[in-house]
Amino acid sequence: TFDQGEQSDNDGNSYAFRPYAGKFVKDRLLLGGQVIVSGSTSESTVDNQNVIDKQDRESSSIGFGVFVRKYYPVYRSFGVFVEPNFNINFNRSENDFERMDLSGGVFDTRSDERRGTTVSAGTNFGLYLFLGERFSLETNLGNVLFTYRTEEVEFTNQFGIEERNGDNDSSSINLNFINEISFDPVFVINFFF
């Protein structure tokens, strides 16, 4: 339930940078690599009468990947592509939590720091249209992706004492289709040297 005395404030920023380059090794077969850099910060405050909760989160990731893209023409310069790929990302995040209970004079802080590695392998598929010899317009229609993630977690309380450490391992297989309009790149324009 929502308490009328509760006020919340949220703020955040994120960025992602994924340049890639490739070289045709055969007709319609492109080998390539990419660098993946991303990060985000967020801050939220919830004021529920006499209790104030504040949370700050910061995360960053750097990774590298390789791919093979095969173009299959359907009609002239229009066709479909299939792109098997492999990526590895190194992730770090820090989460700080503060609680102030003004009625009881209680002040509590906790934090956790996470460092991990994510390995993924998958296949993208989509459509392309060559706009001359040096430009192509592409859109991704979907992908199949296997992901494995390992992570070390360190929890610390308000006295700076390590409360516990832990390791998290997870894996997943996802099948994704483009089914909504979003601010992610819908179309990509490539330039070929």
Side-chain angles (χ1 to χ4, degrees), residues 70-189:
K70 177 67 174 167
Y71 294 92
Y72 296 96
V74 174
Y75 180 74
R76 295 190 182 179
S77 58
F78 172 76
V80 298
F81 69 84
V82 177
E83 180 188 286
N85 56 73
F86 176 83
N87 297 294
I88 184 166
N89 290 292
F90 304 98
N91 315 299
R92 185 196 68 78
S93 69
E94 193 171 322
N95 190 26
D96 296 319
F97 174 78
E98 295 179 4
R99 169 167 281 180
M100 291 176 281
D101 186 341
L102 303 177
S103 62
V106 176
F107 181 74
D108 185 23
T109 64
R110 301 189 183 279
S111 66
D112 66 68
E113 185 174 346
R114 300 167 187 260
R115 294 183 184 278
T117 303
T118 304
V119 176
S120 63
T123 300
N124 298 330
F125 51 92
L127 302 174
Y128 74 86
L129 175 66
F130 274 94
L131 308 170
E133 291 184 15
R134 300 217 177 261
F135 288 96
S136 75
L137 181 65
E138 297 177 356
T139 184
N140 201 25
L141 296 179
N143 63 27
V144 178
L145 185 66
F146 170 77
T147 303
Y148 175 76
R149 180 181 174 103
T150 182
E151 182 178 67
E152 294 179 2
V153 187
E154 180 181 299
F155 297 91
T156 308
N157 67 17
Q158 66 187 15
F159 305 108
I161 299 171
E162 225 175 76
E163 289 189 327
R164 67 182 194 268
N165 285 329
D167 292 333
N168 296 326
D169 292 342
S170 64
S171 59
S172 64
I173 295 178
N174 295 307
L175 176 61
N176 302 307
F177 293 100
I178 303 300
N179 60 1
E180 63 183 38
I181 295 175
S182 68
F183 290 105
D184 290 335
V186 177
F187 295 101
V188 176
I189 298 176

Side-chain angles (χ1 to χ4, degrees), residues 24-97:
F24 281 99
V25 292
K26 286 174 55 176
D27 190 29
R28 300 188 187 108
L29 183 65
L30 182 74
L31 295 181
Q34 67 177 343
V35 175
I36 307 157
V37 179
S38 65
S40 65
T41 59
S42 66
E43 184 178 302
S44 66
T45 303
V46 177
D47 185 349
N48 190 359
Q49 296 176 347
N50 291 326
V51 178
I52 300 172
D53 290 331
K54 183 177 178 184
Q55 188 169 12
D56 293 325
R57 182 170 174 79
E58 180 181 324
S59 66
S60 62
S61 175
I62 185 166
F64 309 94
V66 293
F67 64 88
V68 177
R69 186 178 300 152
K70 177 67 174 167
Y71 294 92
Y72 296 96
V74 174
Y75 180 74
R76 295 190 182 179
S77 58
F78 172 76
V80 298
F81 69 84
V82 177
E83 180 188 286
N85 56 73
F86 176 83
N87 297 294
I88 184 166
N89 290 292
F90 304 98
N91 315 299
R92 185 196 68 78
S93 69
E94 193 171 322
N95 190 26
D96 296 319
F97 174 78

